[in-house]
């Protein structure tokens, strides 16, 4: 079972949560770093691209027995090249870090 810090839980439950979620994905064309805000942010010498309201974090499952977690992410894409890459067979089920 994954335990979240009390400060994170309190921030999330507040009336106006001000949280920035980060995700790093091992994409077929290279590492992709995104965050839930808007614009670029630099954290730990890496640049993260904001997806704002175009991104969505879905269901999270954690399997202690197998030692793996799954997270559903959604992104509204208007770039046809990016959309084509997302539907490539080797793009599904790749590793990521949240």
């Amino acid at each position: 079972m994954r335990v979240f810090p009390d400060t994170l839980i309190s921030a999330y439950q507040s009336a106006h949560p001000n949280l920035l979620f980060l995700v790093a994905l091992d994409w077929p064309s290279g590492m992709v770093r995104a965050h839930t805000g808007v614009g670029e942010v630099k954290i730990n010498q890496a640049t993260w691209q904001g997806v704002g309201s175009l991104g969505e974090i879905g269901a999270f499952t954690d399997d202690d027995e197998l030692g793996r977690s799954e997270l559903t992410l959604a992104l509204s894409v208007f770039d046809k090249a990016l959309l084509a890459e997302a539907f490539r067979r080797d793009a599904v089920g790749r590793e990521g870090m949240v």
Side-chain angles (χ1 to χ4, degrees):
M1 181 162 111
R2 202 170 294 268
V3 178
F4 295 103
D6 290 338
T7 53
L8 178 61
I9 294 170
S10 294
Y12 186 75
Q13 292 175 337
S14 71
H16 302 287
N18 188 17
L19 300 173
L20 186 67
F21 291 95
L22 307 172
V23 62
L25 301 171
D26 177 23
W27 206 245
S29 61
M31 189 61 71
V32 173
R33 292 176 179 86
H35 68 85
T36 54
V38 177
E40 282 186 1
V41 258
K42 292 196 184 285
I43 300 173
N44 294 336
Q45 301 174 348
T47 302
W48 303 76
Q49 303 295 325
V51 296
S53 62
L54 297 177
E56 181 178 317
I57 300 172
F60 174 82
T61 59
D62 198 15
D63 189 333
D64 286 332
E65 189 174 307
L66 295 176
R68 72 176 204 184
S69 302
E70 291 185 11
L71 175 66
T72 302
L73 302 172
L75 180 63
S76 299
V77 178
F78 300 103
D79 181 307
K80 289 183 181 181
L82 182 59
L83 186 60
E85 187 173 356
F87 280 108
R88 286 177 37 181
R89 180 178 217 102
D90 59 350
V92 176
R94 295 188 67 93
E95 300 225 356
M97 181 176 61
V98 178

